[in-house]
Amino acid sequence: MTGRTAAPRHAPKEDMHGSAHNDRPHQHTAATAPPAVGTQFRALPQPRHWLPVGIVLCAAVVVLGLTVQLVPGDTTAELGVDQNLSLHHVAVLTAVAMGINLLFGPVVGLALITIAALGIWLFRRDLVTAVAFGLTACSGWVASEAFKLLFARQRPNPAMLFDPLAPETGSNSFPSGHVSFAVALAFALYFLARGTRWARPVAVGGAVMALIVAWSRLYVGVHYPTDVAASFFAASAAVVLLAGLWNRFAPALMERLPATVLRPFGRA
């Protein structure tokens, strides 16, 4: 009846200069833009209290190390396990154990990790994931070497075995580098597969792989049972501590890298 048209209920408000405050079409523009290839940071899974967890795992290794050094007769009893396995060598199992001895050794193992990390960087154009994978996989070795220097346990005497397959001597028995590498590699492979349908099979397969490597070190006769047991704690401690440090410091370091490194060959 008045002839006036009702004002829209949601009309944009104007400020004192008459400019409208309707910024909705411009919100979240940056969030929807696709991230640049090779520049997106990928955090590693970590416990909420990663530092105490890492310390507890390291303490478990120390307790085992002190136990084998201070408890009388422990080494003799553990040698009996190696001797029993040495009595029952089978050709097929021997081939498997010797293959593991080579594949998870420092030379071949490090070469395979390097090739895998380079492949992730060059073909997936993801330097951050490549570095995270390589560091995680190698962290077990680093931890095992540190604890070996601390405890300097002598390896089983090959002369005491009925069928020594790969005689080794020296004060580098505790913990096992092969097993530590296998455990850390299992974590690294799971980190690559997480979020995909392969995550669970990779996790199970990695655990089985680590157990098989542990068995092989006893079968070959180059480690005691407590050596391989401590390896699981040592490698897990290394992975947990690395993940915490990586998530805390890696993003700032990544920002300093040039784009030519993050995106090899200039591909976008």
Side-chain angles (χ1 to χ4, degrees), residues 9 18 31 36 50 61 63 84 125 144 157 162 176 207 210 216 229 236 261:
R9 296 178 61 184
W50 59 272
V61 181
V63 169
N84 185 57
R125 290 176 286 171
S144 68
N157 186 355
F162 298 98
S176 166
S216 74
S236 297
V261 175

Side-chain angles (χ1 to χ4, degrees), residues 126-150:
D126 192 344
L127 176 63
V128 178
T129 299
V131 174
F133 170 79
L135 289 177
T136 302
C138 293
S139 64
W141 268 327
V142 176
S144 68
E145 291 301 318
F147 284 114
K148 283 178 180 181
L149 292 174
L150 180 62

Side-chain angles (χ1 to χ4, degrees), residues 126-243:
D126 192 344
L127 176 63
V128 178
T129 299
V131 174
F133 170 79
L135 289 177
T136 302
C138 293
S139 64
W141 268 327
V142 176
S144 68
E145 291 301 318
F147 284 114
K148 283 178 180 181
L149 292 174
L150 180 62
F151 292 102
R153 187 186 194 186
Q154 295 294 321
R155 288 183 181 272
N157 186 355
M160 301 296 293
L161 301 177
F162 298 98
D163 183 23
L165 297 175
E168 293 186 39
T169 58
S171 58
N172 55 349
S173 185
F174 183 94
S176 166
H178 283 64
V179 179
S180 297
F181 169 55
V183 174
L185 178 59
F187 277 108
L189 292 174
Y190 171 73
F191 291 168
L192 284 180
R194 77 187 190 277
T196 71
R197 61 191 180 100
W198 298 105
R200 185 182 296 272
V202 168
V204 174
V208 172
M209 173 186 68
L211 291 173
I212 292 175
V213 175
W215 158 83
S216 74
R217 304 313 286 161
L218 301 178
Y219 184 90
V220 173
V222 293
H223 282 289
Y224 297 103
T226 47
D227 296 342
V228 298
S231 302
F232 285 87
F233 293 114
S236 297
V239 171
V240 168
L241 294 174
L242 173 66

